[in-house]
Amino acid sequence: MKWYEKKQGAHPDVIISSRIRLARNLKDYVFPNHLSEEEAREAIEVIHRIFSKEKPDEFYYWDMAQMSSIDKVAMMERHLLSPLFVNMPIPNALIHNVDESLSIMVNEEDHLRIQAMSKGANLGEIFTLASQVDDMIEDKVDYAYSQELGYLTACPTNVGTGLRASYMIHVPALEATGQLRIILEAIGKFGITFRGIYGESSEPVGSVFQVSNQVTLGFSEEEIIEKLHSVTMQIVNQEIAVRDSLLRERRLEFEDSIYRSYGILSQARILTAKEAMTLLSDVKLGLELGLLKLETSGEFNIFDLMTQIQPANLQKYEKKTLDVTQRDMARANLVRMTLPKIQGG
Amino acid sequence: MKWYEKKQGAHPDVIISSRIRLARNLKDYVFPNHLSEEEAREAIEVIHRIFSKEKPDEFYYWDMAQMSSIDKVAMMERHLLSPLFVNMPIPNALIHNVDESLSIMVNEEDHLRIQAMSKGANLGEIFTLASQVDDMIEDKVDYAYSQELGYLTACPTNVGTGLRASYMIHVPALEATGQLRIILEAIGKFGITFRGIYGESSEPVGSVFQVSNQVTLGFSEEEIIEKLHSVTMQIVNQEIAVRDSLLRERRLEFEDSIYRSYGILSQARILTAKEAMTLLSDVKLGLELGLLKLETSGEFNIFDLMTQIQPANLQKYEKKTLDVTQRDMARANLVRMTLPKIQGG
């Protein structure tokens, strides 16, 4: 058993998903913000050729210039690519595997952003997956690398391992009781950052947050992942403790607010993304605490629904562009159709 | 067909119920606020004897001193007796028929308050019922009466016919759009008053109001009823017009808010009386406008439920005294059990 495997699967309810991102650059090209259009195309071609040759059947290749705006944003909502990548002024391309657990952005802030994702707490496993892709590329190209500093990147915060490890966590109890604020201040000291579900500038919704390491220099990959994991586990344990005390001390109000949220989700005709996220967060919490039981086939995953109701994914589902009101209606419809009934209700 | 029969049954959705109240006093006794305890008992006995002799099988008699506090308040919530009557410092008694459509308070502000109630717009019919009881009593006793002024009463506003005619109306659209305020100011000029559902001091809840005549002197019974009816019909027509325009211009928001109210009612674990009234008011409106269809057996009446969830009636239903939190839970339970499912939902 490897060092990281010991830590898998802890509190899958609170830790929604894990993400590993490696920032890499090609030695023979300047960083993307200084690339000419032609050089940008060349850099893409270098990478594309490797995947065509080494993994011809496992990966999809997308020229971003050929992709519709809705498709781009939908992929962003699924965390397959970044907000920056959607609006890059130079040619850029996305390579990803079938289940979207592995993706490579070419010409984002760095030439390469290799990303691996998984549900639950699986940082170790997906770090291995990302590293395999990383090794495969490094076999064929020279990375910008310094013996002293490690991997070189466009932004100094990524220099070193080029690694960002993230957990997506659902901490409604800490948020509701205001304790999250105190935690946010404390974890900054450990070089850990907290962000909303859709990246650096996004407002937190549905009590879902990304926890990730801020600095990649001066630590090994193992140290970065271990530190992120141990800090996250402290947050998780606090979330569990607050949930327990809410259950003990305010069970009735707790139950009431969860059932009300279910009631609104199951009947509303208009739902903004933000309100839907908040209500789904309540239902998720209710399910995890056993306060609410749904007639699920096992297929139903609230976090998947949280992704499906985002604006672009919703429009892809409806197969047409929708204005804000139409989206709010379509979202309410989708939620009504998808949310299972209450057991015995 | 009599003069009043023409006006029955108009907009039963908006006009929930009709009430007639006649204030009468016994010539041989001072008004109740000056009665000794012994005189109060005598006055009760005079009236009790009439009913025992004339209508032995049709009416129940209650010595209020023997009645529990919860029973008194429950009767008040059903509009069978007044808040003042619950707390009278002298002996008082209630006489009512089986279906509670006719009731006589003995020793309220006046010796006699004869009251008739009915669902829908039926002022004419229930005025006849109240008058029959009035005539039966007047055959046996001398009322305090002046040729010049009419019936004499403890409060000058009731002198004359001693008649108060009331409609209970449900005007959510006028309330939501703020138009009710303007109407309130206007109808004062016609000698018509507006009150919340539970009497003079009660805050309006669930968009239900009592409209009634303010003065009884200088007009015949027919004139009072006709004026109340015509002013109420103007309010009803405005309510209908605003509902129509809301349906035309803001159907989606309208529908959304009605379904959300249903959703909360069908899932909440805690409901205050005030919130439940507001939500039931929305559902009532949705049913009336055909925006919402429930699997009703025809037995379900939202206004009955509005009465059943009042604190004292709720405790009678549960057959025990409940504190505020227990009531809010029992109310949420009762609503969940009583509210029919949505058709095809």
Side-chain angles (χ1 to χ4, degrees):
Chain A
M1 189 184 278
K2 293 190 185 134
W3 62 268
Y4 43 77
E5 288 179 338
K6 296 176 197 159
K7 285 158 185 166
Q8 284 178 27
H11 293 299
D13 290 345
V14 179
I15 301 182
I16 295 171
S17 64
S18 309
R19 191 146 58 114
I20 286 288
R21 180 270 279 157
L22 301 171
R24 298 290 185 259
N25 285 280
L26 302 176
K27 192 184 167 194
D28 300 337
Y29 294 84
V30 292
F31 290 140
N33 58 339
H34 293 109
L35 278 183
S36 69
E37 197 177 312
E38 205 185 310
E39 290 167 327
R41 286 195 206 289
E42 275 179 38
I44 293 171
E45 198 39 41
V46 167
I47 305 303
H48 188 188
R49 218 178 296 133
I50 298 171
F51 280 87
S52 302
K53 201 175 163 198
E54 305 292 325
K55 305 273 187 188
D57 301 323
E58 284 176 43
F59 284 84
Y60 295 103
Y61 168 87
W62 301 93
D63 176 353
M64 295 303 285
Q66 304 298 319
M67 198 186 277
S68 77
S69 184
I70 283 187
D71 281 340
K72 287 184 202 178
V73 179
M75 284 183 162
M76 185 186 84
E77 289 168 357
R78 299 203 299 279
H79 301 280
L80 209 54
L81 46 85
S82 65
L84 177 69
F85 198 64
V86 172
N87 300 304
M88 283 303 284
I90 53 164
N92 58 345
L94 180 74
I95 297 167
H96 69 80
N97 68 351
V98 181
D99 69 2
E100 301 187 349
S101 61
L102 267 170
S103 64
I104 299 95
M105 287 183 273
V106 188
N107 294 339
E108 207 246 18
E109 187 180 281
D110 298 297
H111 295 138
L112 291 169
R113 290 286 178 101
I114 302 165
Q115 184 179 266
M117 292 189 292
S118 143
K119 285 190 180 165
N122 284 311
L123 280 183
E125 192 178 313
I126 62 174
F127 175 68
T128 303
L129 287 175
S131 297
Q132 284 165 356
V133 172
D134 186 33
D135 292 345
M136 179 186 84
I137 300 170
E138 202 167 11
D139 269 358
K140 307 290 173 190
V141 300
D142 286 332
Y143 278 156
Y145 186 81
S146 143
Q147 283 297 343
E148 197 185 340
L149 296 171
Y151 293 103
L152 302 176
T153 57
C155 176
T157 56
N158 292 317
V159 169
T161 57
L163 169 67
R164 175 156 289 166
S166 313
Y167 279 132
M168 187 93 78
I169 59 173
H170 181 234
V171 286
L174 289 176
E175 201 186 23
T177 55
Q179 298 190 40
L180 200 58
R181 212 176 285 245
I182 301 159
I183 291 171
L184 290 190
E185 283 170 26
I187 64 167
K189 294 174 199 159
F190 297 95
I192 305 290
T193 61
F194 236 68
R195 291 181 283 178
I197 181 171
Y198 289 115
E200 317 207 4
S201 59
S202 69
E203 202 190 344
V205 285
S207 304
V208 178
F209 296 86
Q210 285 181 60
V211 206
S212 51
N213 62 306
Q214 200 154 24
V215 176
T216 79
L217 185 65
F219 301 98
S220 70
E221 283 86 348
E222 286 79 359
E223 284 168 341
I224 290 169
I225 292 175
E226 282 206 337
K227 192 197 283 176
L228 180 72
H229 188 78
S230 74
V231 170
T232 304
M233 285 312 295
Q234 287 185 43
I235 300 172
V236 167
N237 289 333
Q238 289 189 50
E239 167 72 17
I240 301 289
V242 176
R243 288 181 184 190
D244 287 348
S245 88
L246 285 175
L247 263 188
R248 268 197 317 275
E249 289 154 27
R250 290 168 51 198
R251 187 185 177 97
L252 182 63
E253 295 89 326
F254 208 176
E255 211 164 17
D256 182 57
S257 85
I258 283 163
Y259 276 90
R260 281 169 181 252
S261 293
Y262 179 90
I264 294 171
L265 283 172
S266 65
Q267 295 298 342
R269 263 52 185 169
I270 305 174
L271 279 174
T272 64
K274 189 173 176 178
E275 186 190 13
M277 291 292 282
T278 304
L279 298 171
L280 286 171
S281 166
D282 287 347
V283 170
K284 181 168 159 58
L285 181 60
L287 291 172
E288 289 165 12
L289 294 175
L291 292 174
L292 183 69
K293 287 189 169 38
L294 301 182
E295 291 178 349
T296 52
S297 60
E299 289 295 303
F300 176 70
N301 177 296
I302 287 209
F303 190 69
D304 290 346
L305 183 53
M306 283 179 165
T307 305
Q308 285 157 25
I309 60 168
Q310 297 305 319
N313 276 281
L314 197 61
Q315 291 175 82
K316 274 185 70 73
Y317 176 82
E318 294 278 333
K319 295 189 176 60
K320 58 187 172 201
T321 51
L322 304 170
D323 65 25
V324 174
T325 305
Q326 289 168 331
R327 287 205 297 271
D328 290 350
M329 287 172 68
R331 182 176 296 114
N333 274 324
L334 178 62
V335 169
R336 281 209 311 285
M337 298 306 143
T338 309
L339 200 66
K341 288 199 194 305
I342 291 178
Q343 268 184 32
Chain B
M1 190 184 280
K2 291 188 185 141
W3 63 269
Y4 44 77
E5 289 178 339
K6 295 175 199 165
K7 285 158 186 168
Q8 283 179 26
H11 295 295
D13 290 344
V14 179
I15 300 182
I16 295 171
S17 65
S18 309
R19 192 146 59 113
I20 286 289
R21 180 271 279 156
L22 300 172
R24 299 288 185 260
N25 286 281
L26 303 176
K27 192 183 167 192
D28 300 337
Y29 294 84
V30 292
F31 290 138
N33 57 340
H34 294 109
L35 278 183
S36 69
E37 196 175 313
E38 203 184 310
E39 289 167 328
R41 289 195 204 287
E42 275 180 38
I44 292 171
E45 200 39 42
V46 168
I47 304 303
H48 189 188
R49 215 178 299 129
I50 297 172
F51 280 87
S52 304
K53 199 172 167 203
E54 304 293 324
K55 306 274 186 186
D57 301 322
E58 284 175 45
F59 284 84
Y60 295 103
Y61 169 86
W62 301 93
D63 176 351
M64 294 304 284
Q66 305 299 318
M67 197 184 283
S68 78
S69 186
I70 284 188
D71 280 342
K72 287 184 200 177
V73 179
M75 284 183 162
M76 187 186 83
E77 290 168 354
R78 299 202 299 277
H79 301 279
L80 209 55
L81 48 83
S82 65
L84 176 69
F85 198 64
V86 172
N87 301 305
M88 282 303 285
I90 54 164
N92 56 346
L94 179 74
I95 297 167
H96 68 80
N97 67 352
V98 183
D99 68 4
E100 301 189 348
S101 61
L102 267 169
S103 65
I104 300 94
M105 287 182 274
V106 188
N107 293 340
E108 207 246 21
E109 184 181 285
D110 297 297
H111 295 138
L112 291 169
R113 289 284 177 102
I114 302 165
Q115 184 179 266
M117 292 190 290
S118 143
K119 285 189 178 163
N122 285 311
L123 280 182
E125 193 178 311
I126 63 175
F127 175 69
T128 304
L129 287 175
S131 297
Q132 285 165 356
V133 171
D134 185 35
D135 292 346
M136 179 186 85
I137 299 170
E138 202 167 11
D139 269 1
K140 308 290 172 189
V141 300
D142 285 331
Y143 278 155
Y145 185 83
S146 141
Q147 282 298 340
E148 197 185 339
L149 295 173
Y151 293 103
L152 302 176
T153 56
C155 176
T157 57
N158 293 317
V159 170
T161 58
L163 168 67
R164 174 156 288 166
S166 314
Y167 279 132
M168 187 93 79
I169 60 173
H170 181 235
V171 285
L174 288 176
E175 201 185 24
T177 55
Q179 296 189 41
L180 199 60
R181 211 177 284 248
I182 302 160
I183 291 169
L184 290 189
E185 284 170 24
I187 65 168
K189 295 173 198 157
F190 296 94
I192 304 291
T193 61
F194 236 67
R195 290 181 284 179
I197 182 170
Y198 289 115
E200 317 209 1
S201 59
S202 68
E203 201 189 345
V205 284
S207 303
V208 178
F209 296 85
Q210 284 183 60
V211 206
S212 53
N213 62 306
Q214 199 155 26
V215 176
T216 79
L217 186 65
F219 301 97
S220 72
E221 284 85 348
E222 286 81 357
E223 284 168 338
I224 289 169
I225 292 175
E226 282 207 335
K227 192 197 284 177
L228 179 72
H229 188 79
S230 73
V231 169
T232 304
M233 284 312 294
Q234 287 184 44
I235 300 171
V236 167
N237 290 333
Q238 290 190 50
E239 167 71 17
I240 300 290
V242 176
R243 289 181 183 190
D244 288 348
S245 86
L246 285 176
L247 263 190
R248 267 197 319 274
E249 291 154 28
R250 291 169 48 197
R251 188 186 177 98
L252 182 63
E253 294 89 329
F254 208 176
E255 212 164 15
D256 181 56
S257 86
I258 283 164
Y259 276 90
R260 280 169 182 253
S261 294
Y262 179 91
I264 294 170
L265 284 171
S266 64
Q267 295 298 342
R269 264 51 186 170
I270 306 175
L271 279 175
T272 64
K274 188 172 177 179
E275 185 191 12
M277 291 292 282
T278 304
L279 297 172
L280 287 171
S281 166
D282 286 346
V283 170
K284 182 169 159 58
L285 180 60
L287 291 172
E288 288 164 13
L289 293 175
L291 292 175
L292 184 69
K293 286 188 169 43
L294 300 181
E295 290 178 349
T296 51
S297 61
E299 289 295 304
F300 176 71
N301 177 296
I302 286 209
F303 190 69
D304 290 347
L305 183 54
M306 283 178 165
T307 305
Q308 285 157 23
I309 60 168
Q310 297 305 319
N313 276 282
L314 197 61
Q315 291 176 82
K316 274 185 71 73
Y317 177 82
E318 295 279 332
K319 295 189 174 62
K320 58 187 171 202
T321 51
L322 304 171
D323 65 24
V324 174
T325 304
Q326 291 169 329
R327 288 205 297 271
D328 289 349
M329 287 174 66
R331 183 177 295 114
N333 273 324
L334 179 62
V335 169
R336 279 208 313 286
M337 299 303 144
T338 309
L339 200 64
K341 287 199 193 309
I342 291 177
Q343 269 184 31

